[in-house]
Amino acid sequence: MKAVAFSSTTAHLIHLFFEWAAIASGVQLYRWQRAHQGLSGILEPGQYAVIIGCILGAAIGNKLVFWMEFPQLWASSSLDINLWMSGQSIVGGLLGGLCGVEIAKKLIGAQRSTGDNFVLPLMLGTAIGRIGCFLAGLHDGTYGVPTRMPWGVDFGDGIFRHPTQLYDILFVLIWGGVILLFQKRWRESPGLLFKFYLSGYLLWRLLIDGIKPVPYEYAGGLSGIQIMCLLALLCYLPFVIKQFLNYKKNAPLFP
């Protein structure tokens, strides 16, 4: 398969369009879910702080993980403001957003988990955003290593590569769809749905990034994103397992 090759400027604009479309679609879906469930709007007292925390945390995490993935760039051009403002990372956005939400909840004294309503918006946003990554091709840097598989994609340089952007879309839709089947059953354990979604995505990225070019190798030949996924899983999985075991302990025999 041969993808359409765009110029650098056009590819950047396409990626930017799909990036903002992903954010807007995710926000609107999140608002619709809350309205459908009879919950307060995202700008109501007690909610806007969580949203602000999510946005700020995601923005900071976005950049931190990107710089971790490409340390050779910012280390050599630390005064270039354009470089500091460039680059995106879904993993960084997810982890940063999670930290931002938890900090905001601590500040306002919120106790109830807010994560489950983020699963569908994250699925939609990731799928739309990855379409932009795919169309941006070689200018985006999210493609895979060369492959002889029949579904390999030539992004314009004559080399057939794994379309890892499309793999990402398939994974979030399949994994998200599977865990959403348990949404009603896990209703008595708020936050469990999101924890499974995030854990699954982090594990997926740890594995799938192994067939992407590594811009900077850390220990074991891992990329910065793989290192971050591994560290996040080590810190996060104990909470997931603990909540799941508590749920199973208290769950009715015949739900």
Side-chain angles (χ1 to χ4, degrees), residues 56-110:
L56 289 178
I60 295 172
N62 211 351
K63 300 305 177 186
L64 288 178
V65 175
F66 173 76
W67 297 334
M68 185 177 178
E69 182 80 342
F70 296 92
Q72 73 278 18
L73 294 181
W74 61 263
S76 61
S77 305
S78 59
L79 298 181
D80 186 350
I81 187 64
N82 292 321
L83 180 62
W84 280 81
M85 295 302 294
S86 67
Q88 305 291 335
S89 167
I90 292 178
V91 169
L94 284 172
L95 295 177
L98 172 64
C99 292
V101 166
E102 293 303 319
I103 292 172
K105 286 167 61 179
K106 289 289 184 183
L107 292 176
I108 65 174

Side-chain angles (χ1 to χ4, degrees), residues 28-219:
Q28 290 303 315
L29 180 54
Y30 180 78
R31 292 180 61 190
W32 177 85
Q33 283 187 129
R34 292 190 63 83
H36 184 70
Q37 296 168 6
L39 300 174
S40 59
I42 61 176
L43 296 181
E44 294 294 324
Q47 289 300 319
Y48 67 87
V50 173
I51 297 300
I52 291 174
C54 179
I55 294 173
L56 289 178
I60 295 172
N62 211 351
K63 300 305 177 186
L64 288 178
V65 175
F66 173 76
W67 297 334
M68 185 177 178
E69 182 80 342
F70 296 92
Q72 73 278 18
L73 294 181
W74 61 263
S76 61
S77 305
S78 59
L79 298 181
D80 186 350
I81 187 64
N82 292 321
L83 180 62
W84 280 81
M85 295 302 294
S86 67
Q88 305 291 335
S89 167
I90 292 178
V91 169
L94 284 172
L95 295 177
L98 172 64
C99 292
V101 166
E102 293 303 319
I103 292 172
K105 286 167 61 179
K106 289 289 184 183
L107 292 176
I108 65 174
Q111 300 294 326
R112 185 175 177 82
S113 174
T114 56
D116 290 347
N117 278 335
F118 281 102
V119 173
L120 267 176
L122 285 173
M123 291 168 58
L124 177 64
T126 301
I128 293 175
R130 283 307 193 199
I131 294 174
C133 294
F134 178 79
L135 294 176
L138 295 174
H139 303 288
D140 185 66
T142 55
Y143 49 80
V145 297
T147 180
R148 293 183 178 179
M149 295 296 183
W151 54 80
V153 176
D154 174 7
F155 289 102
D157 62 351
I159 300 174
F160 288 87
R161 295 180 168 86
H162 283 287
T164 46
Q165 311 95 326
L166 302 185
Y167 297 171
D168 219 36
I169 294 174
L170 286 174
F171 175 80
V172 297
L173 294 180
I174 293 172
W175 174 240
V178 168
I179 63 173
L180 283 172
L181 294 176
F182 296 89
Q183 186 172 19
K184 291 183 179 179
R185 182 175 296 183
W186 292 345
R187 188 175 297 167
E188 299 305 317
S189 185
L192 189 57
L193 194 73
F194 175 79
K195 287 184 174 68
F196 268 105
Y197 178 82
L198 179 58
S199 300
Y201 187 73
L202 291 174
L203 179 59
W204 161 255
R205 288 300 301 272
L206 177 62
L207 298 175
I208 197 64
D209 277 48
I211 61 169
K212 292 182 183 180
V214 179
Y216 183 89
E217 287 192 10
Y218 288 87

